[in-house]
Each structure stands twice: as structure tokens, then as C-alpha cells.
Amino acid sequence: MDPLDVPLRLLRQRTSVKWSTYGPDVLPLWVAEMDCDLAEPIVGAVTRAVQRGDTGYWAGKHLRDAFGEVAAARWGWDVGALSSVAVPNVMSGVVACLDAVVEPGTPVLVASPVYPPLAQYPRQAGYPVHRVALTAAGRLDLAALAEAFGHLPSRGAAPRGAFLLCNPHNPTGVVHTRAELEELGRIARECAVVVIADEIHALVSYEPFTPALSAIREAYALHSASKAFNLVGMNIALLWSADPVPISPAIAHGDQISAIAHTAALRECGPWLDQALSALTNRRRLLTDFIRREAPIIGFAPPQATYLAWLDLAAASGARGERISATVLRERAGLALTSGTAFGSANHVRLNFATSPAILLSALERLASVVA
């Protein structure tokens, strides 16, 4: 079974931001939600909860236990001795963690290009944000991070800064190795920098995934089933740490129905996830083969994780020699991709390949029709 082979006519009936932002002539392969059928155990769990009126305040324990089972089975990671707290979503959890473990105004660093909210949310919360470039291969530049950490001003006994790790990295799809994470942890300890990891795409990995907390004991990590099971409209996340994090009670809470959906996903939908990963592997192959054959001028490295393709259009141009951008693709080809500008690279666009083969192939043909 292919849970991502949903016909276009059915997807057009959806009212999410992905399918309601643009008109019927545009193929939307931009925001990170999957074009999939929801796993039946999730549908059943949510339906039964609503039918029995189970919509009160969340009790909490089941989601932690369900995540622990998945972490052990898929990554060999034992979370039994760790602390966890529920937060409404990953990004609110990142900011709540910053507020709890560093002083106001502490510098926050990100490896760029990176998922825009990792820079935007801390900045809006009053933290100055600094970008450190990834390597040309899209990996952490540990030497550059060591230099950046080393130049942070001392804050006495308080941390000098915080580094927001995206693991796997969005948008490049890189899965950081254990060696890279251990070296990052060593540098951070020496420079009194706190590591906070956004690991929302961890379950969508095609290479072995290493949880940040299994390599960096002092780190904090946020996990959610939302990306892997297409529950972004039913958000909840867990913040994990070696020691309890004093997060404000106004933030540390969970939504009951979302928690029921996520628990069912983690506990009952392993076979569905395996089918989805198989389908995504096929889409990644289709995408890679098409670009190499029909549009080799586009720079592209198949992602090790996520269902997002980071496309380098720096060498490409339109029929009149103009630079190709997300706006040009939308206006000329009816193809909505995410602009790389907010990530930190104006020459890139991000394409979501979590869709049917027919839609993906149509989108790629539209892309190739513009790129020269």
C-alpha cells in the first residue's frame, strides 16, 4: 500500500494552508505537510475519543510511554531516565526552553540555511540570532561553530549562548552523525553554550538517526510525531532533557485530542510509517533521476532525511536569462515551492516531494519547462 498516492481531485478538497493558499491552476509542493491518507489507527482513536466526550484536560503519561517505545525500537535510545514535558509544538518549546535555561538577551546561533522559525521565533522573543554557515556539503561546520562559540562574551556563571540544532537538518535533509554530534557537544561544553535540538523530522530518516541527547548529555531535544504522520494540524511535542526543565505552566501542557492522535500514531502505526518511508524513498529516487536526466543544471543532493528537496538554482536561468525564483516558478509554471530566501539562501527553493508520483512528475515537468 502507498499512503501517499492520493488523487489530485481529493487533495483539492482539503482546506489546509497547503491546498487553500493558491488557485486550482497551481500545484502546491511548498509547506511541509504530506499528501497522504491518515493512518487508520489515528482516525479510530480520535473518533472514539470524540464519541465518548474525552475532550478534557490531558493527563500526560501515555504519549511519553509511546515515544519511549519508538525511540528504543527505531534508534536504540532508552529515554527511561530522562525528563520530559509536553509543549504545544516544537517551536514554542524551543522558546520556552531558552527562557528557562539562558538569560534574557543571550545570543542564539543557528547553522544556516535553516528552517526559518528557528531564527524567527527566538528573535521575536528578544534573543539576538547569529547565523553560522553550513559547509558546502550542507553539514555542520564544526570549526566555524567553535570559532563563533569562542567569540561569545562571558555572562558569568550563566551560559554564553545557545545553539539551535536542526537534526535532521531542514532544508538540506542531512542526518548528523554521532561523531559530529559528540564533537558539537564537546565544543559547546568548552564554550558554555547550550544545545537545543529540533528533531521533528527524526522519524523521516533514510539513514541511521542519532538522537542529540544520546550523544550530548547536556542538550535539550524536542520531538513530535507531527511530520512523520501528517499531524501538523494536531500539534503537540515533548521536550526531553537529562534534568527537569523549569518551563512555565502556561506553556507546559498538552492538547488532549492531539495527544491521543500522536499516541496512536507512535504506538499503533509503525507499519504505516514503514509504508510511507518506502513511498518517500521511491519519490526521492524519481526526483533524483528526473533532475539528473532532464534538468542537470539544478544543484541537488538527495536528502538523507525529511521529504524536502533543497534545489540550487544559482546556475539556472529562464528563457530570457533572468534568475529563477519561487515567484517566477509560480507565475510561469503554476508551481508553488518555498523560497530559499527566508532560510538564508536566495538561490535555492525547497520542494516537498511527499505526494503522489503523478503529482510529483507533473511538478517536475513544470519546473523543467522554466529552467534553462
Side-chain angles (χ1 to χ4, degrees):
M1 187 187 105
D2 185 341
L4 278 73
D5 197 6
V6 182
L8 181 60
R9 62 181 175 79
L10 296 181
L11 294 171
R12 293 286 185 197
Q13 298 173 20
R14 296 186 176 182
T15 59
S16 68
V17 65
K18 181 178 183 180
W19 286 97
S20 64
T21 298
Y22 302 106
D25 57 331
V26 174
L27 280 181
L29 273 67
W30 59 296
V31 70
E33 66 178 73
M34 293 195 288
D35 297 338
C36 67
D37 289 322
L38 207 59
E40 280 301 324
I42 299 173
V43 176
V46 171
T47 300
R48 290 190 296 274
V50 173
Q51 288 175 337
R52 66 176 177 261
D54 194 4
T55 54
Y57 293 109
W58 178 48
K61 183 176 185 297
H62 299 305
L63 180 57
R64 175 193 166 97
D65 291 346
F67 177 82
E69 293 164 9
V70 170
R74 292 194 177 256
W75 310 318
W77 182 32
D78 182 3
V79 303
L82 298 177
S83 172
S84 68
V85 60
V87 290
N89 55 61
V90 165
M91 287 314 308
S92 65
V94 166
V95 174
C97 188
L98 283 170
D99 290 343
V101 302
V102 301
E103 294 180 338
T106 297
V108 170
L109 295 89
V110 295
S112 184
V114 73
Y115 176 58
L118 272 183
Q120 295 166 349
Y121 274 59
R123 186 180 293 117
Q124 291 169 359
Y127 297 95
V129 176
H130 306 278
R131 292 176 178 266
V132 179
L134 295 166
T135 67
R139 307 200 71 87
L140 295 176
D141 190 332
L142 293 167
L145 286 173
E147 182 177 2
F149 291 176
H151 281 92
L152 294 172
S154 173
R155 304 180 75 88
R160 297 164 66 187
F163 177 63
L164 304 187
L165 172 70
C166 199
N167 180 39
H169 196 85
N170 176 6
T172 63
V174 162
V175 175
H176 307 303
T177 66
R178 178 169 295 277
E180 287 172 324
L181 294 174
E182 288 175 347
E183 178 63 7
L184 171 65
R186 184 191 67 79
I187 297 167
R189 279 190 295 275
E190 289 183 354
C191 298
V193 170
V194 173
V195 176
I196 303 173
D198 166 5
E199 301 189 320
I200 196 169
H201 288 280
L203 286 168
V204 191
S205 294
Y206 316 109
E207 303 288 338
F209 171 76
T210 302
L213 262 170
S214 72
I216 310 172
R217 185 194 180 279
E218 307 89 350
Y220 303 86
L222 287 125
H223 280 265
S224 175
S226 60
K227 296 299 183 185
F229 296 95
N230 208 42
L231 295 172
V232 292
M234 303 179 74
N235 244 327
I236 191 170
L238 292 173
L239 170 61
W240 294 89
S241 57
D243 301 309
V245 183
I247 287 183
S248 164
I251 295 293
H253 64 85
D255 172 80
Q256 170 75 334
I257 295 297
S258 296
I260 288 171
H262 283 237
T263 301
L266 293 168
R267 184 158 278 163
E268 303 178 54
C269 300
W272 184 96
L273 178 58
D274 291 336
Q275 291 169 346
L277 288 172
S278 177
L280 290 172
T281 299
N282 290 335
R283 307 300 190 273
R284 185 179 60 159
R285 185 182 304 115
L286 188 160
L287 171 65
T288 302
D289 291 346
F290 184 96
I291 289 177
R292 288 174 179 169
R293 184 179 66 250
E294 304 292 341
I297 199 167
I298 296 175
F300 171 62
Q304 298 174 320
T306 80
Y307 40 80
L308 307 167
W310 188 233
L311 306 180
D312 184 354
L313 303 180
S317 61
R320 294 190 291 272
E322 76 278 30
R323 186 176 70 84
I324 302 298
S325 66
T327 300
V328 168
L329 290 171
R330 188 173 65 253
E331 292 176 349
R332 296 227 189 127
L335 178 61
L337 305 183
T338 305
S339 171
T341 301
F343 293 82
S345 177
N347 292 325
H348 284 77
V349 292
R350 194 189 70 175
L351 181 150
N352 176 354
F353 57 86
T355 190
S356 72
I359 292 173
L360 179 56
L361 185 58
S362 178
L364 292 173
E365 290 171 345
R366 294 185 186 203
L367 174 64
S369 73
V370 175
V371 173

